Amino acid sequence: MAHTLHFAASMLACWLIAQVLARSTWTWRSPRVAILCWQAVGLGAGLSAVGLPMSLGLAPYQRGTGSALLALADDLWHSTLPAGLGAVHLGLVGVGFGIGAVLLTTTVRSIHGAVRAQRRHRDLLTLVARRDPTVPGALVLDHPGAAAYCLPGVRPRVVVSAGALDLLSRAELEAVLTHERAHAQERHDLVLLPFTALCRALPWLGWVRKAHDRVSLLVEMRADDKARELHADAPLAGALQRFATAGNRITPAGALGMGDRDLAVRMQRLMVNERPPRLLGAVALAVTTTAAALPISLFLS
């Protein structure tokens, strides 16, 4: 029963931490640390959701969840079950496995869908996009709308539209290209993937959707920070301003776009150049890592 309480406490802790992270603004000053915190919360919540019904079903074994699972497998193999272990307990273990299967299946489906959309768009780019010596390392799409996006993957592509080239100054364009290359280099598509899968598996949970939205914003802020390392804040802020006022912005499925998310918040952040809260970030990372480590330790016990 102690393990059940620990799994329940871990799930509650993950929910509470998610509420705090969703309302915190220090995460805007340290997006990389905040992303790690959200990843730890997501891992802890997923494992706790699997482990809670399992631990209830395995309670008659009066031992750790991991060793109880091994004991159950051995008992089922020999067709002998301990006293007190009935159909309800086996059903609860099945519920835990079912939750795990749903999470795994939605993750695989999300990966498959993203890869398929990226492959389809990559094939399309080979037909309609062109190289331009004024934009080295990027493909130019002859479209009047404002577009700048990264198509991630093993062979990432950075794409800008003709409309964006007309819209941006040279300094702003360089900042935008660095932003998009950061998405490709740090594989931000893989950062978002587990949260996309959680949204598909648990669409009725508001905090899961909020976590996805927050991580999506933090990914853009992280790419902004990478651009700020090589360029001044003014060109990047100017590019965001131009995208915010431009109509007909386009970003295809499976891509990460420059002008997709919370442009006003990102511009405000660039105007206030505050130092990252190192102590607060370290405390938050320690707390979220503990929340993720607890269910892992329960499964290994």
Side-chain angles (χ1 to χ4, degrees), residues 107-187:
T107 300
V108 171
R109 288 179 59 191
S110 297
I111 294 173
H112 180 260
V115 170
R116 186 173 56 182
Q118 291 163 9
R119 183 187 299 118
R120 185 166 54 245
H121 191 70
R122 190 175 290 110
D123 292 341
L124 182 63
L125 288 175
T126 61
L127 298 175
V128 300
R130 58 181 171 84
R131 297 284 181 180
D132 191 322
T134 63
V135 194
L139 296 173
V140 176
L141 193 62
D142 288 318
H143 191 282
Y149 58 86
C150 165
L151 190 66
V154 178
R155 295 176 296 150
R157 299 286 187 271
V158 173
V159 182
V160 293
S161 67
L165 294 179
D166 294 336
L167 183 70
L168 303 173
S169 69
R170 187 65 198 179
E172 291 168 348
L173 178 61
E174 291 295 336
V176 167
L177 293 176
T178 303
H179 171 103
E180 297 305 331
R181 291 186 187 112
H183 283 317
Q185 292 165 358
E186 300 197 350
R187 293 307 305 266

Side-chain angles (χ1 to χ4, degrees), residues 65-100:
T65 304
S67 57
L69 274 174
L70 293 176
L72 175 62
D74 184 66
D75 289 342
L76 290 174
W77 178 260
H78 294 95
S79 302
T80 58
L81 294 177
L85 186 72
V88 174
H89 294 93
L90 293 175
L92 287 169
V93 174
V95 169
F97 277 112
I99 293 173

Side-chain angles (χ1 to χ4, degrees), residues 16-27 38 210 214:
L16 291 173
I17 293 170
Q19 304 307 307
V20 174
L21 284 176
R23 289 171 170 79
S24 299
T25 56
W26 68 264
T27 56
W38 275 112
K210 188 178 295 183
R214 279 290 177 168

Side-chain angles (χ1 to χ4, degrees), residues 14 35-45 195 285 287-293:
C14 288
I35 289 170
L36 292 174
C37 290
W38 275 112
Q39 289 176 317
V41 169
L43 177 62
F195 297 95
L285 193 57
V287 171
T288 53
T289 301
T290 302

Side-chain angles (χ1 to χ4, degrees), residues 217-286:
L217 174 58
L218 290 169
V219 159
E220 292 301 325
M221 290 180 171
R222 172 60 184 163
D224 288 342
D225 284 349
K226 295 295 289 184
R228 296 169 82 182
E229 292 176 3
L230 299 178
H231 307 279
D233 290 352
L236 182 58
L240 291 174
Q241 177 65 41
R242 293 183 190 274
F243 273 103
T245 56
N248 197 22
R249 297 197 302 269
I250 54 172
T251 301
L256 297 168
M258 176 72 182
D260 281 351
R261 186 168 293 276
D262 297 294
L263 295 176
V265 171
R266 290 163 60 193
M267 283 188 289
Q268 177 187 354
R269 175 175 174 268
L270 291 173
M271 300 303 177
V272 182
N273 192 9
E274 295 180 312
R275 297 179 61 185
R278 299 186 184 279
L279 179 59
L280 183 56
V283 171
L285 193 57

